[in-house]
Amino acid sequence: QQPVQSPQAVILREGEDAVINCSSSKALYSVHWYRQKHGEAPVFLMILLKGGEQKGHEKISASFNEKKQQSSLYLTASQLSYSGTYFCGTAIFGNEKLTFGTGTRLTIIP
Amino acid sequence: DTAVSQTPKYLVTQMGNDKSIKCEQNLGHDTMYWYKQDSKKFLKIMFSYNNKELIINETVPNRFSPKSPDKAHLNLHINSLELGDSAVYFCASSQEWGGSTYNEQFFGPGTRLTVL
């Protein structure tokens, strides 16, 4: 079952913060986050495996709630290079494939 | 050095034709995938191979046939192309089966297929 992402699209000015959410109706084994720039391939950002986990690198971080049904991606002090479409990919127990969310298109303007 | 490569990058063809897309990875990964991304940007898995063995075969028309001659290559052959097949097809790889759920996937640059 496809996870639901919100918002579908967001426009920010440089330096502003954004939160992208990914929700599933079932408990998840893992959540992956990818960013895809226009005309390019998706690129891996991070993976979360444990309920309550929070991890990140530079100004991009993510959390996985205790019930393992929701993850959020946090982009702090956004830069122009953050523009693109962000996808969460989820895996459920007993089904070893990634199902990607609907995507969130992020546009950063100067 | 290219990690996951695909050829061709663009493919324009007529309805009813047969075409193939090739994928190669030099990462030493055991698992490879084919994804389809439609015009709405939905990214959906089609097939997955682990060490040349078909593991995932989603609800895909049997006009699509993957083939893995070795674990570094995964090709996709499409028979009798239809308008609805127009999309971007991505090949990807990950370190190990099962690991697709806890290892990152590396995507190729994509092949944009246009069926006229």
Side-chain angles (χ1 to χ4, degrees), chain A residues 50-53 64-70:
Chain A
K50 300 175 184 176
E53 183 177 12
F64 199 8
N65 76 342
E66 288 289 345
K67 288 187 176 180
K68 300 183 75 173
Q69 287 184 262
Q70 182 169 3

Side-chain angles (χ1 to χ4, degrees), chain B:
Chain B
D1 290 340
T2 304
V4 183
S5 59
Q6 292 179 231
T7 55
K9 188 167 177 62
Y10 299 97
L11 192 50
V12 181
T13 188
Q14 300 284 339
M15 276 176 57
N17 284 349
D18 302 340
K19 289 293 178 186
S20 292
I21 306 171
K22 295 187 175 182
C23 178
E24 176 181 1
Q25 54 96 4
N26 62 7
L27 297 167
H29 288 169
D30 289 333
T31 308
M32 296 183 72
Y33 313 83
W34 278 112
Y35 286 92
K36 178 181 180 180
Q37 187 171 45
D38 62 21
S39 57
K40 294 183 179 179
K41 301 296 185 186
F42 291 146
L43 193 61
K44 188 172 181 183
I45 191 166
M46 300 172 68
F47 302 102
S48 176
Y49 271 74
N50 183 56
N51 212 359
K52 301 195 297 176
E53 182 183 350
L54 181 65
I55 299 296
I56 291 175
N57 186 350
E58 289 293 287
T59 309
V60 176
N62 57 16
R63 298 181 294 103
F64 290 79
S65 52
K67 189 169 184 181
S68 182
D70 56 64
K71 74 174 193 176
H73 296 84
L74 180 62
N75 303 323
L76 183 65
H77 188 77
I78 316 169
N79 289 325
S80 303
L81 279 155
E82 300 178 357
L83 292 176
D85 298 333
S86 295
V88 179
Y89 292 84
F90 286 101
C91 176
S93 72
S94 66
Q95 194 165 8
E96 60 185 292
W97 179 244
S100 64
T101 58
Y102 52 80
N103 281 331
E104 67 179 285
Q105 292 189 18
F106 293 80
F107 283 80
T111 296
R112 182 174 292 276
L113 172 64
T114 303
V115 182
L116 304 174

Side-chain angles (χ1 to χ4, degrees), chain A residues 1-23:
Chain A
Q1 193 167 4
Q2 188 176 33
V4 177
Q5 283 184 238
S6 63
Q8 284 188 321
V10 59
I11 300 174
L12 297 176
R13 292 197 177 276
E14 258 187 302
E16 293 182 334
D17 301 340
V19 180
I20 300 171
N21 298 305
C22 174
S23 296

Side-chain angles (χ1 to χ4, degrees), chain A residues 24-73:
Chain A
S24 169
S25 58
K26 296 184 178 181
L28 300 169
Y29 181 84
S30 64
V31 175
H32 296 218
W33 284 98
Y34 287 78
R35 176 171 62 207
Q36 183 179 28
K37 291 185 178 288
H38 182 69
E40 299 181 8
V43 174
F44 175 81
L45 294 176
M46 66 189 80
I47 180 172
L48 298 104
L49 293 169
K50 300 175 184 176
E53 183 177 12
Q54 190 145 1
K55 65 162 57 171
H57 52 85
E58 296 180 355
K59 295 178 181 175
I60 301 176
S61 62
S63 64
F64 199 8
N65 76 342
E66 288 289 345
K67 288 187 176 180
K68 300 183 75 173
Q69 287 184 262
Q70 182 169 3
S71 178
S72 296
L73 183 71

